[in-house]
């Protein structure tokens, strides 16, 4: 609901200006949180993944630090989309190393690494293989469709029965198998239902086993129902198609990466984690995301 309130309110606001504002806020607030954590005012929550320490540096969870860091990088590159250069790629690489070493957030460092790879690939294609640019974009559109489809399929079946899927699920910290447990317990409804996954919620209904929904697509399907799931998925695909037609290639890459992020975290459909959802306003108002340069008075 909060996401759609902001989308509807974005009628007369330039999309790039929104992203620029979000970028400045992230650029100021993330270091402030780090400083408050180092000063001992905010706790540094430390979790373990096997023998690897994961630091939150003042955020509620290491994954939240990872998500904010990726959002910062995405906003930075979109603001500088017309003049992306080697320093942008160096920054993304350094942030990827940071995400591996500090929060060790799988979703964040996998997506950040893909961000660097896709930007370099896009730059190479534009400069040397322009004939393949349409294929590159079509692959992103098709890939977005496959990510939502496979998320639902793999969460709807018991991946432990299939060796390759079990290995993939284990590598992704059991995302699909845990979603399958929640799916088996609650089922799917047309209009959605209340899902009890937090510790306090599970205590209320007598569920003792840990549960979580870290796949955005399955979370939408189980929490908000089949209708909302179809609206969101087809709307997201149509948005990427519109962005492709408007030739906003960097935004298309970012939207695809958030779709990839959605297979491991739920930030895809939350405005606080994915400010680029504001782009949905183009579907409502039919406006362009690209801003024409104003004529000079000189």
């Amino acid at each position: 609901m909060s996401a759609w309130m902001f989308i509807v309110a974005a009628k007369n606001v330039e999309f790039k200006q929104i992203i620029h504002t979000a970028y400045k806020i992230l650029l100021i607030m993330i270091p402030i949180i780090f400083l408050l954590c180092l000063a001992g005012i905010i706790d540094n929550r430390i979790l373990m993944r096997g023998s690897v320490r994961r630091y939150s540096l003042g955020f509620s969870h290491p994954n939240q630090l990872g998500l904010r860091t990726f959002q910062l990088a995405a906003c930075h590159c979109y603001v500088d989309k017309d003049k992306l250069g080697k320093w942008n790629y160096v920054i993304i690489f350094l942030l990827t190393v940071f995400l591996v070493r500090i929060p060790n957030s799988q979703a964040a460092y996998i997506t950040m690494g893909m961000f660097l790879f896709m930007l370099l690939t896009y730059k190479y294609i534009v400069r040397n293989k322009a004939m393949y640019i349409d294929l590159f974009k079509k692959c992103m559109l098709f890939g977005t469709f496959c990510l939502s489809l496979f998320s639902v399929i793999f969460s709807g079946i018991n991946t432990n029965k299939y060796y390759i899927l079990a290995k993939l699920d284990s590598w992704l910290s059991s995302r699909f198998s845990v979603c399958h447990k929640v799916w088996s317990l609650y089922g799917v409804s047309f209009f959605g239902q209340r899902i009890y996954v937090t510790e306090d919620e599970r205590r209320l209904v007598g569920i003792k086993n840990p549960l979580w929904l870290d796949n955005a697509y399955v979370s939408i399907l189980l929490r908000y129902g089949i209708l909302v799931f179809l609206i969101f998925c087809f709307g997201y695909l149509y948005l990427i198609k519109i962005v492709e037609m408007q030739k906003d290639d960097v935004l298309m890459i970012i939207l695809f990466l958030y779709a990839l992020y959605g297979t491991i975290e739920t930030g895809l459909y939350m405005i606080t984690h994915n400010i680029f959802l504001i782009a949905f306003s183009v579907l409502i108002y039919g406006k362009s995301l690209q801003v024409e340069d104003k004529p000079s008075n000189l």
Side-chain angles (χ1 to χ4, degrees):
M1 180 60 71
S2 61
W4 283 106
M5 288 174 64
F6 278 98
I7 291 167
V8 171
K11 180 179 181 179
N12 299 316
V13 183
E14 292 180 3
F15 177 72
K16 189 173 182 179
Q17 185 59 43
I18 296 174
I19 302 303
H20 191 265
T21 302
Y23 172 60
K24 289 191 291 186
I25 293 172
L26 289 167
L27 201 58
I28 294 171
M29 295 308 300
I30 290 177
I32 287 177
I33 292 175
F34 288 170
L35 291 174
L36 291 174
C37 177
L38 293 175
I41 299 173
I42 301 177
D43 290 336
N44 179 20
R45 188 178 181 189
I46 301 175
L47 302 179
M48 299 295 296
R49 176 183 283 133
S51 59
V52 179
R53 286 179 176 267
R54 307 177 61 200
Y55 303 92
S56 67
L57 296 185
F59 287 84
S60 60
H61 192 281
N63 288 344
Q64 289 294 313
L65 171 57
L67 219 164
R68 294 297 185 187
T69 304
F70 174 74
Q71 188 178 37
L72 175 66
C75 290
H76 169 75
C77 288
Y78 188 76
V79 168
D80 284 352
K81 65 177 181 175
D82 297 323
K83 51 182 179 180
L84 288 175
K86 61 180 181 180
W87 287 113
N88 299 97
Y89 308 131
V90 170
I91 289 172
I92 295 175
F93 174 76
L94 293 176
L95 288 176
T96 304
V97 174
F98 169 80
L99 291 172
V100 173
R101 298 294 299 272
I102 305 302
N104 194 244
S105 174
Q106 285 183 317
Y109 67 69
I110 289 173
T111 310
M112 191 76 81
M114 281 293 297
F115 196 15
L116 178 60
F117 172 76
M118 292 188 71
L119 286 177
L120 290 174
T121 301
Y122 172 73
K123 182 178 181 180
Y124 173 79
I125 291 175
V126 169
R127 286 187 173 182
N128 304 292
K129 302 288 183 180
M131 66 185 74
Y132 295 117
I133 190 65
D134 287 338
L135 177 61
F136 180 74
K137 295 178 183 178
K138 292 293 187 294
C139 287
M140 284 192 285
L141 186 62
F142 180 69
T144 302
F145 170 76
C146 290
L147 288 169
S148 60
L149 179 63
F150 291 148
S151 290
V152 172
I153 291 175
F154 293 162
S155 298
I157 63 177
N158 185 359
T159 55
N160 294 324
K161 293 183 178 180
Y162 307 93
Y163 178 78
I164 295 179
L165 294 182
K167 287 293 184 181
L168 175 64
D169 183 54
S170 176
W171 183 61
L172 295 175
S173 301
S174 304
R175 251 60 173 196
F176 298 124
S177 58
V178 175
C179 284
H180 178 69
K181 289 181 181 179
V182 181
W183 190 324
S184 300
L185 183 63
Y186 288 95
V188 180
S189 65
F190 193 75
F191 293 109
Q193 61 194 312
R194 180 70 181 269
I195 302 292
Y196 298 93
V197 294
T198 67
E199 184 176 353
D200 292 337
E201 289 175 335
R202 287 186 281 109
R203 189 182 298 114
L204 288 174
V205 294
I207 299 175
K208 297 181 179 180
N209 295 327
L211 296 174
W212 61 87
L213 279 173
D214 282 345
N215 182 292
Y217 305 102
V218 179
S219 180
I220 294 173
L221 179 62
L222 300 188
R223 294 180 187 276
Y224 308 112
I226 297 172
L227 180 62
V228 173
F229 172 80
L230 292 176
I231 291 173
F232 179 84
C233 289
F234 282 105
Y236 201 83
L237 287 168
Y238 186 51
L239 172 62
I240 292 180
K241 181 64 178 178
I242 294 297
V243 170
E244 178 190 6
M245 293 170 61
Q246 294 189 6
K247 301 185 184 302
D248 199 341
D249 300 337
V250 174
L251 178 58
M252 190 175 183
I253 291 173
I254 291 171
L255 291 175
F256 168 75
L257 290 171
Y258 266 106
L260 174 63
Y261 213 118
T263 62
I264 314 178
E265 294 287 345
T266 57
L268 170 65
Y269 61 88
M270 299 179 184
I271 195 73
T272 183
H273 294 151
N274 182 6
I275 190 62
F276 294 90
L277 288 175
I278 296 291
F280 265 109
S281 61
V282 73
L283 303 184
I284 300 176
Y285 303 114
K287 64 180 184 179
S288 175
L289 293 169
Q290 303 280 14
V291 179
E292 296 183 1
D293 293 332
K294 296 180 180 179
S296 173
N297 294 324
L298 299 178

